[in-house]
Amino acid sequence: MVAIERGSLWVLAAAMAFGLPGAALAGKANDTLVYASDSEPENISPYHNNVREGVIIARHAWETLIHRNPKTGAYEPYLATSWTWVDPVTLDLELRKGVTFHDGSPFTADDVVFTFNYVLTPEAKVVTKQNVNWMASTEKLDDYKVRIKLKGPFPAALEYLAGPTPIFPAAYFKKVGLDGFAKAPIGTGPYRITSVDSGKGVKLEKFKAYWKGSPLGDVAIGKLEFRVIPDGDTRMAELMTGGVDWIWRVPTDQAKQLESVPNVTVLAAETMRVGFLQFDAIGRTDPNTPLKSEKVRQAISHAIDRKAMVDNLVRGGARVMHSACFIDQTGCTDEGVPRYTYDPAKAKALLAEAGYPNGFDIEFYAYRERDYAEAVIGYLRAVGIRAKLNYLKYGALRELNRAGKVPIYYQTWGSFSVGDASAFTGVWFKGDEDDMSRDASIKALLDKADTTIDLAQRKKTYQEALSAIAAKAYLFPLFSYSTNYAFSSDLAFAAQPDEMPRFYAARWK
């Protein structure tokens, strides 16, 4: 993003005040909360995208069996009214009666059974398999009771049932298929989707038949509109001129300038999102890639000054991360995990030991925070690694990486807001499409950790796995993300550390 000098925000706003699309539709007067971001899900189906914008829409249009209270962390009834562990691999759930989907059809056990069995099939092509592959099957006990069979003990089961496992309408989905569902989706959530326009955004309105007594509370705002605005300067100008009501990921310098703008509120908060580098450690891009060398990967890890990036770029409440997870997730630890200090001289020495005294040329891929990626590239070039930036949209880059064509990947992960280490490590190190190291010993440790009931032993096993990942430098954690939110002062909005904007809880002042 191009930096905006102090005072020029006003010039930018004045220059764009006329002709901005959608400006008349936003705001309190129209009871329409318009929020904008730079990315969009390639498929709005919650199981078929893994971008944060898709996760946000899912939390408003669909519901899960269990609700995790964001303030207390307690698990509360949602589409399920109660649950019982029959044994460590069998979970029975009583379902809520009187809930309807957005098309008026009733929610029953058939919908749960269909959803969970469907997402386990190869035909479903679920994007993030870690979210569902702990389940073996789901069966109907009666119209409002289901039984989930697990593949093995999984202490985080309730956490996943409260997160990335929304329930689909069985009859409707079978009728229209995935393509039809992506164009006209329905759920049971507090908002119903009224329009999906690829490249432009998604429109939602309050579901008038939403069930009473939901833990989400009473929804106040009548309509939501998600708009795709790739350019950050344009998003800020739209906010200042009333075209949108809410934006995020505002660079810190510009967020400080926005604090002086009338009718705009600025809020900063750390999130669960972690930025990191992944390496082609097994030579999928090239059998002779330097990245197959452990010393080269360690050199890269010593070449980057993460603290300087946090202090000068990320800022806010961001922290340097040392393990392949978010430090506050259950099971995540950096105790005893090898750490990489910023040491360019050591990086150069390791490169020489690996047979690259003059460095090498390499392709470097990223999809967001271009300035962060360029900073990393600057550090690499300083030690002789001549990295060339390839900047793509996330969906395209994800598929390119899964095809084995990405040597170095600047990646971020918000774990679908799941507060368990398995939601991070399970995606990148358990042999699925996103695993760039395919280390069977690490997978075995993670399989054991994921299924260990005793918390102390579970943490100990995760520590072993995380230490091995760091020692072999398969993944280099950079930092947690701090996000700057900017929104209309007419809006009462509270940020949560799980990076989940809850617009259903927002209010007009």
Side-chain angles (χ1 to χ4, degrees):
M1 182 183 295
V2 178
I4 297 178
E5 299 298 331
R6 182 173 298 278
S8 64
L9 281 171
W10 302 102
V11 177
L12 178 64
M16 300 188 68
F18 299 98
L20 286 174
L25 301 178
K28 181 177 180 179
N30 294 287
D31 196 19
T32 302
L33 193 167
V34 179
Y35 67 102
S37 189
D38 58 345
S39 302
E40 67 172 326
E42 68 269 29
N43 187 317
I44 202 168
S45 164
Y47 291 103
H48 297 92
N49 76 80
N50 59 1
V51 294
R52 178 56 44 164
E53 288 75 11
V55 178
I56 294 167
I57 292 170
R59 291 292 181 97
H60 290 79
W62 286 274
E63 294 180 302
T64 52
L65 296 181
I66 298 172
H67 174 72
R68 177 164 52 81
N69 188 307
K71 295 181 180 179
T72 66
Y75 297 117
E76 299 173 345
Y78 203 13
L79 287 180
T81 56
S82 64
W83 49 91
T84 304
W85 285 102
V86 179
D87 58 50
V89 295
T90 308
L91 179 64
D92 287 357
L93 300 101
E94 298 282 350
L95 304 180
R96 188 175 301 278
K97 299 177 181 179
V99 175
T100 60
F101 285 97
H102 298 149
D103 64 350
S105 61
F107 160 75
T108 70
D110 293 331
D111 303 301
V112 179
V113 172
F114 165 75
T115 301
F116 288 167
N117 288 331
Y118 163 72
V119 297
L120 293 176
T121 63
E123 302 81 56
K125 297 182 180 179
V126 171
V127 169
T128 306
K129 295 182 176 63
Q130 170 65 24
N131 291 340
V132 298
N133 66 7
W134 51 274
M135 293 185 283
S137 63
T138 301
E139 61 184 279
K140 176 180 177 180
L141 300 183
D142 65 38
D143 285 348
Y144 289 94
K145 187 173 184 179
V146 297
R147 170 168 290 173
I148 300 175
K149 297 292 291 186
L150 282 62
K151 291 180 179 177
F154 188 55
L158 298 186
E159 179 72 7
Y160 281 80
L161 290 176
T165 52
I167 305 303
F168 283 0
Y172 179 74
F173 193 96
K174 291 175 183 177
K175 177 182 178 182
V176 301
L178 178 58
D179 289 343
F181 193 73
K183 296 173 183 176
I186 62 172
T188 60
Y191 286 90
R192 58 183 289 267
I193 295 171
T194 59
S195 171
V196 179
D197 194 349
S198 180
K200 294 183 179 180
V202 179
K203 294 181 180 180
L204 309 90
E205 65 179 25
K206 185 162 60 173
F207 181 38
K208 295 179 180 178
Y210 187 58
W211 56 280
K212 303 296 183 183
S214 165
L216 304 188
D218 295 328
V219 174
I221 294 176
K223 295 181 180 179
L224 303 178
E225 181 179 341
F226 164 58
R227 289 181 57 197
V228 182
I229 305 178
D231 180 67
D233 292 347
T234 304
R235 288 195 300 274
M236 286 198 298
E238 289 264 23
L239 174 68
M240 294 165 61
T241 56
V244 303
D245 302 295
W246 185 98
I247 62 175
W248 66 345
R249 301 171 185 160
V250 180
T252 301
D253 288 345
Q254 296 175 13
K256 289 182 178 179
Q257 295 179 42
L258 282 173
E259 289 175 356
S260 64
V261 175
N263 302 319
V264 171
T265 299
V266 177
L267 179 65
E270 186 190 28
T271 72
M272 289 175 60
R273 183 167 298 276
V274 175
F276 57 94
L277 299 183
Q278 275 185 293
F279 310 107
D280 176 20
I282 55 176
R284 293 192 304 165
T285 56
D286 179 354
N288 300 312
T289 178
L291 299 170
K292 289 177 70 174
S293 168
E294 188 174 300
K295 288 185 177 180
V296 168
R297 300 193 301 270
Q298 291 172 340
I300 292 172
S301 302
H302 280 295
I304 299 166
D305 191 343
R306 293 175 290 178
K307 186 176 186 304
M309 290 186 69
V310 166
D311 292 345
N312 299 305
L313 280 176
V314 192
R315 289 180 278 195
R319 294 177 280 175
V320 171
M321 294 285 121
H322 300 286
S323 288
C325 48
F326 179 65
I327 195 62
D328 294 338
Q329 288 176 308
T330 299
C332 184
T333 181
D334 59 11
E335 296 177 7
V337 174
R339 299 194 176 197
Y340 291 89
T341 57
Y342 173 54
D343 191 337
K346 188 170 185 177
K348 291 179 180 179
L350 284 166
L351 287 174
E353 291 175 23
Y356 301 96
N358 299 315
F360 54 85
D361 297 301
I362 199 79
E363 299 294 316
F364 184 104
Y365 287 80
Y367 71 95
R368 57 178 286 173
E369 283 85 36
R370 190 183 188 110
D371 51 342
Y372 296 4
E374 289 174 342
V376 170
I377 286 174
Y379 285 122
L380 296 182
R381 288 176 177 168
V383 299
I385 299 173
R386 297 172 294 278
K388 177 186 175 183
L389 178 61
N390 297 269
Y391 196 78
L392 306 177
K393 287 187 176 182
Y394 175 68
L397 180 50
R398 183 191 65 215
E399 296 311 309
L400 193 68
N401 180 57
R402 290 180 173 183
K405 298 179 180 179
V406 176
I408 303 181
Y409 191 173
Y410 176 81
Q411 171 69 284
T412 77
W413 192 241
S415 297
F416 277 85
S417 300
V418 173
D420 191 85
S422 64
F424 197 108
T425 56
V427 175
W428 313 113
F429 293 102
K430 292 188 71 175
D432 290 329
E433 301 101 321
D434 297 306
D435 186 347
M436 295 177 70
S437 56
R438 308 295 170 96
D439 189 316
S441 63
I442 288 175
K443 181 181 183 300
L445 284 170
L446 292 175
D447 284 340
K448 179 181 177 183
D450 288 353
T451 57
T452 298
I453 301 296
D454 180 82
L455 183 58
Q457 183 58 45
R458 189 169 188 246
K459 187 174 181 179
K460 181 177 182 296
T461 309
Y462 273 128
Q463 191 271 342
E464 291 181 51
L466 294 167
S467 294
I469 291 167
K472 297 178 180 181
Y474 286 142
L475 180 151
F476 182 52
L478 295 169
F479 37 72
S480 63
Y481 269 61
S482 177
T483 291
N484 291 307
Y485 305 86
F487 49 92
S488 166
S489 295
D490 284 338
L491 185 66
F493 169 81
Q496 301 290 342
D498 61 2
E499 199 186 18
M500 182 57 61
R502 291 167 169 83
F503 297 125
Y504 56 74
R507 301 284 188 276
W508 298 118
K509 294 180 180 177

